[in-house]
Amino acid sequence: MSAAEEDAAVREPLDLIRLALDEKVYVKLRGDREARGRLHAYDQHLNMILGDVEEVITSTETDEETFEEFTKTTKRSVPFLFIRGDAVTLVSPPLRS
Amino acid sequence: MSPSRVVPLTFARGAIEKIAKSRSRRADVKSTRVLDVALFYSYFKTLVGKPVTVELKNDLAIAGTLVSVDQYLNIKLENTRVTDEARYPHMRSVRNCFIRGSVVRYVQLPEAAVDVDILHDATRREARGA
């Protein structure tokens, strides 16, 4: 197998993330948080550095009178963000069209 | 990092740097700095002296100058300021602190200190070695 084929092979789950390097990824985190951004670095703990990150925090609030629950999303943008791997629950590579 | 890996890495580093130098495209000293095997530990070492914002898992966000970092990604900050002082008034007098690595959720990095090409190279090298 050539070096290029070796690099493109998916043998273990982390290989999928390796192929997503320098691509936009979707990351789901503990605490109803999600982040979308360009994957610049990662390691085996799923520590990551993302660029041009948009973080979305989803929280539920209860209306004090009707006791109706509604969800609220808070968005913010960060140029470069290190994410500690122990908060990561899911990583999705970009959709190929 | 398991103890058995520690010793081989000392000379693995020499080999890695040799490989890096043979890749003529980025054979400068700068690119070999992040090539240590513990990728993020090495990377954070290059950020010492730069301003960062550390966000903890309890939502406290602390901005300060990075003083040092260790293999667990424990972090020491100086000239710290809590981003939301109104919510955490008891933190107003804290100007130096040590943060246990495991309670960190995010670290916001200074844009000027991020070289994405070096990060990509170091990540690929680490992925190959791991």
Side-chain angles (χ1 to χ4, degrees):
Chain A
M1 193 185 282
S2 72
E5 282 174 77
E6 185 79 45
D7 279 353
V10 177
R11 294 167 201 286
E12 48 170 308
L14 276 177
D15 288 343
L16 197 71
I17 298 174
R18 177 168 52 83
L19 296 178
L21 206 60
D22 203 20
E23 308 265 6
K24 279 278 230 180
V25 291
Y26 164 78
V27 183
K28 213 164 148 51
L29 300 154
R30 288 188 181 277
D32 296 313
R33 286 161 188 268
E34 316 166 282
R36 270 171 231 273
R38 195 168 286 281
L39 181 67
H40 290 309
Y42 74 89
D43 67 9
Q44 68 270 39
H45 305 290
L46 262 12
N47 293 322
M48 298 187 245
I49 291 176
L50 299 188
D52 290 322
V53 193
E54 190 189 55
E55 190 205 16
V56 180
I57 307 166
T58 310
S59 53
T60 59
E61 287 180 13
T62 313
D63 190 298
E64 282 182 23
E65 277 141 38
T66 63
F67 296 103
E68 257 183 303
E69 286 201 348
F70 54 95
T71 57
K72 192 182 97 180
T73 59
T74 316
K75 287 189 189 181
R76 63 164 182 160
S77 298
V78 187
F80 282 105
L81 193 65
F82 165 82
I83 301 176
R84 191 171 163 97
D86 58 1
V88 173
T89 58
L90 178 150
V91 183
S92 173
L95 290 173
R96 306 231 172 258
S97 48
Chain B
M1 203 179 287
S2 67
S4 60
R5 286 185 65 192
V6 174
V7 176
L9 293 189
T10 342
F11 42 142
R13 188 180 313 170
I16 288 168
E17 279 171 6
K18 234 179 256 171
I19 294 164
K21 284 197 184 109
S22 72
R23 295 169 54 130
S24 55
R25 196 161 59 92
R26 269 188 269 280
D28 54 324
V29 183
K30 207 178 159 201
S31 71
T32 57
R33 279 181 67 193
V34 191
L35 303 184
D36 216 342
V37 175
L39 170 62
F40 288 97
Y41 169 44
S42 313
Y43 179 66
F44 276 111
K45 279 199 284 190
T46 70
L47 295 183
V48 165
K50 304 234 161 54
V52 294
T53 301
V54 181
E55 293 182 42
L56 310 187
K57 287 180 177 140
N58 64 3
D59 291 337
L60 183 67
I62 308 169
T65 309
L66 186 65
V67 177
S68 65
V69 65
D70 67 13
Q71 55 166 327
Y72 305 107
L73 304 185
N74 295 324
I75 288 172
K76 233 163 87 180
L77 293 180
E78 257 175 19
N79 296 316
T80 57
R81 204 156 282 269
V82 169
T83 307
D84 191 354
E85 280 207 330
R87 199 173 143 199
Y88 305 96
H90 58 285
M91 290 293 289
R92 207 164 292 172
S93 58
V94 178
R95 285 293 166 263
N96 283 307
C97 68
F98 171 96
I99 300 165
R100 185 177 155 100
S102 65
V103 302
V104 172
R105 182 189 287 133
Y106 301 133
V107 181
Q108 293 181 33
L109 309 170
E111 231 174 319
V114 181
D115 185 322
V116 296
D117 290 331
I118 291 175
L119 284 175
H120 295 168
D121 279 4
T123 302
R124 291 210 180 87
R125 207 164 291 126
E126 170 129 328
R128 215 169 286 151

